[in-house]
Amino acid sequence: MRASANRHRRRGTRQHKSTPLTAAMVLMLLYTLLPLVWLLMASTKDSGSLLSSFGLWFGDGFHLFGNVKDVLTYDDGIYVRWFGNTLLYALVGAGGAALIATIGGYALAKYRFRGRNAVFALVLGAITIPGTALAVPTYLLFSEVGIVDTPWAVILPSMVSPFGLYLMRVYAQEAIPDSLLEAARIDGAGELRTFFTVSLRLLGPGFVTVLLFALVATWNNYFLPLIVLSDPNWFPLTVGLNQWNNLATGAAGSGTTTTGFYPLVVTGSVLAIIPLVIAFLFLQRYWQSGLAAGSVKQ
């Protein structure tokens, strides 16, 4: 009986200690989900209901499918073009950033060469520089090269990820045993073969992590495309939706009747977040998979 009472007392103590943490997590959950709920509710409304009804509930009628049709067909389907541009920038830029960071992090972690510490120090310094501070110098450099107002002006900077390189260096240092590399070399495997057949499998979870970080950063990139792109046909979703938002707010301020841009902006924003949700749901399983164990067995 005494042992049972002690167990109940310890159980009650643990529950009491977790109450503040639970409350904090609930507040964070509400802070995260409320904007999403508002966005989903707003995408089902027309312009009149959007401005007059309660934000966290439905308005007069269900206009989601009509709003989606308006978004996809407005201005000869310019939104579809923006969506395709964003996919191009995100897939090529984020994929390249993850691959370069993985190769560079692996080299910094597993090879000894002159200047290695200096290179790593430069990487750490680059992390502290905000991307907005490099936007104007990047524009001037690309203007000299002649790639302003082309997809390369967005893709090339997106392939540089100092934080991803730092993350992969730290991850590779712990994830890849030196004995495994020595065994592969003794068996006659070259450095490239060792990397692609042995090390890359062990680096899978880190690669996916960097890929997701780079994917989100590229998908939500706004300031750089705003500076280096002037042709609307090359705009990503961030710049294009902001252009629609400026039209809506300008129309509202001038008293004109083109506030129908508000449903376009809201519904376009909902469509824009769907690929990121799918990417997270698809790639998160690699964080929990046993890639390391399977690679070591091979």
Side-chain angles (χ1 to χ4, degrees), residues 18 23 32-33 36 41 46 51 56 58 71 126-128 133 136 161 167-169 172 175-176 199 235 247 256 272 295:
S18 66
T32 303
L33 291 181
L36 180 60
M41 292 295 102
D46 58 8
L51 300 176
L56 299 179
F58 299 99
V71 168
I127 295 176
T128 64
V136 174
S161 177
L167 185 65
M168 289 307 302
R169 190 260 187 184
I176 304 177
S199 301
F235 282 173
L247 291 174
T256 59
S295 298

Side-chain angles (χ1 to χ4, degrees), residues 5-260:
N6 289 336
R7 283 198 299 270
H8 283 294
R9 190 179 298 112
R10 288 195 297 269
R11 210 173 287 165
T13 302
R14 286 196 294 269
Q15 292 176 355
H16 178 71
K17 288 182 178 180
S18 66
T19 301
L21 180 60
T22 302
M25 293 300 296
V26 170
L27 290 176
M28 290 299 298
L29 183 64
L30 291 175
Y31 177 80
T32 303
L33 291 181
L34 279 179
L36 180 60
V37 172
W38 181 92
L39 190 65
L40 293 175
M41 292 295 102
S43 64
T44 66
K45 305 175 183 179
D46 58 8
S47 57
S49 298
L50 185 61
L51 300 176
S52 61
S53 63
F54 179 59
L56 299 179
W57 196 244
F58 299 99
D60 297 331
F62 189 81
H63 303 274
L64 175 62
F65 299 110
N67 290 338
V68 171
K69 179 182 178 182
D70 292 339
V71 168
L72 298 180
T73 58
Y74 178 79
D75 195 13
D76 295 327
I78 189 65
Y79 182 90
V80 178
R81 179 63 183 261
W82 294 341
F83 198 94
N85 294 339
T86 307
L87 281 176
L88 173 65
Y89 302 152
L91 293 179
V92 178
L99 182 60
I100 293 173
T102 301
I103 295 173
Y106 172 79
L108 288 173
K110 294 301 173 181
Y111 291 98
R112 303 291 183 268
F113 55 89
R114 183 177 299 177
R116 187 183 69 155
N117 293 333
V119 171
F120 188 63
L122 288 176
V123 172
L124 293 178
I127 295 176
T128 64
I129 302 175
T132 53
L134 299 176
V136 174
T138 300
Y139 171 82
L140 296 176
L141 176 63
F142 286 171
S143 179
E144 291 292 331
V145 178
I147 60 174
V148 170
D149 211 20
T150 68
W152 292 111
V154 179
I155 292 175
L156 290 179
S158 300
M159 298 176 70
V160 179
S161 177
F163 175 74
L165 181 59
Y166 165 77
L167 185 65
M168 289 307 302
R169 190 260 187 184
V170 175
Y171 186 82
Q173 200 165 18
E174 299 296 331
I176 304 177
D178 292 336
S179 58
L180 186 64
L181 299 180
E182 291 298 328
R185 290 163 183 158
I186 291 174
D187 289 341
E191 296 300 326
L192 288 178
R193 183 181 177 185
T194 300
F195 174 75
F196 285 105
T197 60
V198 178
S199 301
L200 193 57
R201 298 183 182 183
L202 294 172
L203 296 174
F207 176 85
V208 172
T209 301
V210 175
L211 178 63
L212 282 176
F213 277 124
L215 183 66
V216 173
T218 308
W219 192 272
N220 296 327
N221 195 3
Y222 169 73
F223 193 60
L224 178 64
L226 180 66
I227 290 179
V228 300
L229 299 176
S230 59
D231 185 357
N233 288 321
W234 290 117
F235 282 173
L237 287 172
T238 51
V239 179
L241 288 174
N242 184 68
Q243 187 181 64
W244 281 0
N245 183 63
N246 291 336
L247 291 174
T249 55
S254 62
T256 59
T257 59
T258 56
T259 53

